[in-house]
């Protein structure tokens, strides 16, 4: 996974998510009133419409909800194959991150595998990727 990823446009709502990796933290927006997690991050809670929303560092662990293997090199410097997965976070109910599973062969990944976050820093953005845990 060495290619240059598309850079997200940082704003006050999503900055904590994209830069938390600098401190090793996976920050997910959480409502201070109803406790709901909001992803992608927004300034208003999607459950109770509260504006009392702030970044919350979650454990960074989860399970593979579903995945696919990409064999097509969409960019010149892209290493294939690689796994595109949807990861369900352990401690942020309802939050699923679309990400990559790294540091293992593509055929070692399966649904329900426990994973933990690792960060790929590119140009001031810490992309949350996941590797198999244990
Ligand atoms: Zn709320």
């Amino acid at each position: 996974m060495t290619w240059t990823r598309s850079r997200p446009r940082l704003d006050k709502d999503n900055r904590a998510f994209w830069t938390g990796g600098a401190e090793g933290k996976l920050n997910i927006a959480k409502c201070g009133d109803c406790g709901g997690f909001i992803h992608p991050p927004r300034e208003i809670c999607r459950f109770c419409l509260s504006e009392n929303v702030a970044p919350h560092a979650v454990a960074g662990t989860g399970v593979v909800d579903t995945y696919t293997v990409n064999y097509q090199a969409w960019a010149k410097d892209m290493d294939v194959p690689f796994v595109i997965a949807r990861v369900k976070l352990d401690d942020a109910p309802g939050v699923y991150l679309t990400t990559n599973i790294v540091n293992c062969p593509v055929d070692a990944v399966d649904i329900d595998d426990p994973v933990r976050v690792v960060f790929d820093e590119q140009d001031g953005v810490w992309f949350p990727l996941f590797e198999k845990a244990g």
Side-chain angles (χ1 to χ4, degrees):
M1 305 295 291
T2 55
W3 81 91
T4 305
R5 296 171 179 272
S6 343
R7 185 185 164 84
R9 185 186 300 266
L10 298 188
D11 60 29
K12 65 182 172 57
D13 295 335
N14 69 24
R15 187 173 305 275
F17 176 76
W18 290 116
T19 64
E23 299 174 340
K25 291 180 178 173
L26 180 59
N27 291 317
I28 304 294
K30 184 179 185 183
C31 176
D33 289 329
C34 75
F37 287 90
I38 301 114
H39 189 80
R42 292 182 52 194
E43 61 186 350
I44 296 176
C45 176
R46 66 187 172 98
F47 303 105
C48 73
L49 304 182
S50 168
E51 294 179 18
N52 183 17
V53 171
H56 174 81
V58 297
T61 57
V63 295
V64 175
D65 182 62
T66 190
Y67 72 97
T68 188
V69 178
N70 181 70
Y71 292 93
Q72 176 74 41
W74 304 102
K76 201 186 293 182
D77 57 350
M78 184 177 281
D79 291 335
V80 291
F82 62 88
V83 175
I84 302 167
R86 190 169 76 162
V87 167
K88 178 177 188 279
L89 296 180
D90 285 339
D91 55 351
V95 175
Y96 296 81
L97 299 182
T98 301
T99 181
N100 300 122
I101 308 299
V102 297
N103 302 333
C104 69
V106 295
D107 58 5
V109 175
D110 206 351
I111 287 172
D112 288 336
D113 280 352
V115 290
R116 65 173 162 248
V117 73
V118 291
F119 293 97
D120 181 20
E121 191 267 334
Q122 292 188 1
D123 192 24
V125 171
W126 280 258
F127 292 91
L129 311 179
F130 286 78
E131 65 182 8
K132 292 185 64 158

